[in-house]
Amino acid sequence: FFDRKYDPTANPFRQLDAAKEQAAREGKRILMDVGGEWCIWCHRLDDLFRTNKDLADLVNKHYVVIKVNVSIDNKNEIFMAQFPKVAGYPHLFVLDAYGKVIHSQDSGQLEEGKGHSKEKVAEFLKKWAKKG
């Protein structure tokens, strides 16, 4: 999931609809990763998941992931207008299976040094995972 790129040609409305169906079917929440290929911190977050199987497993167990591109090529303004304002990228939204925002996470709060803290990211994922 974090090997996927932010695709300016992807339709986020369709991505979200598919994620809602899957999340409802599998009893999961949706993790919406908003960013772009231009964003170094987006790549650093992807790298964290790629190099830490336990974090990737945590995501796979509790979330359906979608990546929403925000770039010069496509700002996806109409789609993003339905969500709280984003201060920086990457930005993570946790949604329920109906697409309702449960939590809006500034990823800057998960940073440590020149990357993201594995512990802070794990804590975030566990805190917002669906209970029961």
Side-chain angles (χ1 to χ4, degrees):
F1 53 91
F2 286 96
D3 287 333
R4 279 184 268 152
K5 299 207 178 294
Y6 296 93
D7 182 358
T9 65
N11 180 327
F13 291 99
R14 283 201 198 110
Q15 285 180 290
L16 183 56
D17 285 346
K20 288 192 289 193
E21 280 181 30
Q22 184 181 344
R25 193 172 58 246
E26 297 176 4
K28 296 180 179 180
R29 291 204 164 144
I30 299 165
L31 183 63
M32 188 169 83
D33 176 5
V34 182
E37 288 304 303
W38 54 268
C39 166
I40 185 67
W41 285 96
C42 298
H43 292 293
R44 289 175 181 170
L45 185 59
D46 286 348
D47 288 343
L48 181 74
F49 286 104
R50 268 196 295 273
T51 57
N52 290 280
K53 186 181 180 322
D54 51 339
L55 281 183
D57 289 346
L58 197 56
V59 172
N60 282 328
K61 182 177 179 183
H62 298 287
Y63 299 93
V64 175
V65 179
I66 64 169
K67 289 184 114 159
V68 177
N69 176 79
V70 177
S71 68
I72 292 169
D73 297 327
N74 185 351
K75 295 180 182 164
N76 279 311
E77 292 168 304
I78 295 168
F79 179 79
M80 290 306 299
Q82 65 188 312
F83 298 99
K85 190 122 177 76
V86 170
Y89 301 99
H91 191 90
L92 301 171
F93 287 100
V94 177
L95 313 174
D96 68 13
Y98 300 101
K100 180 178 170 275
V101 176
I102 294 170
H103 181 69
S104 175
Q105 180 66 50
D106 174 355
S107 67
Q109 296 170 345
L110 305 176
E111 290 173 11
E112 188 174 82
K114 294 200 180 295
H116 295 87
S117 161
K118 180 181 174 186
E119 292 73 26
K120 289 179 185 176
V121 171
E123 187 180 308
F124 157 76
L125 292 169
K126 289 174 187 168
K127 180 176 182 178
W128 297 105
K130 190 172 177 183
K131 308 293 182 245

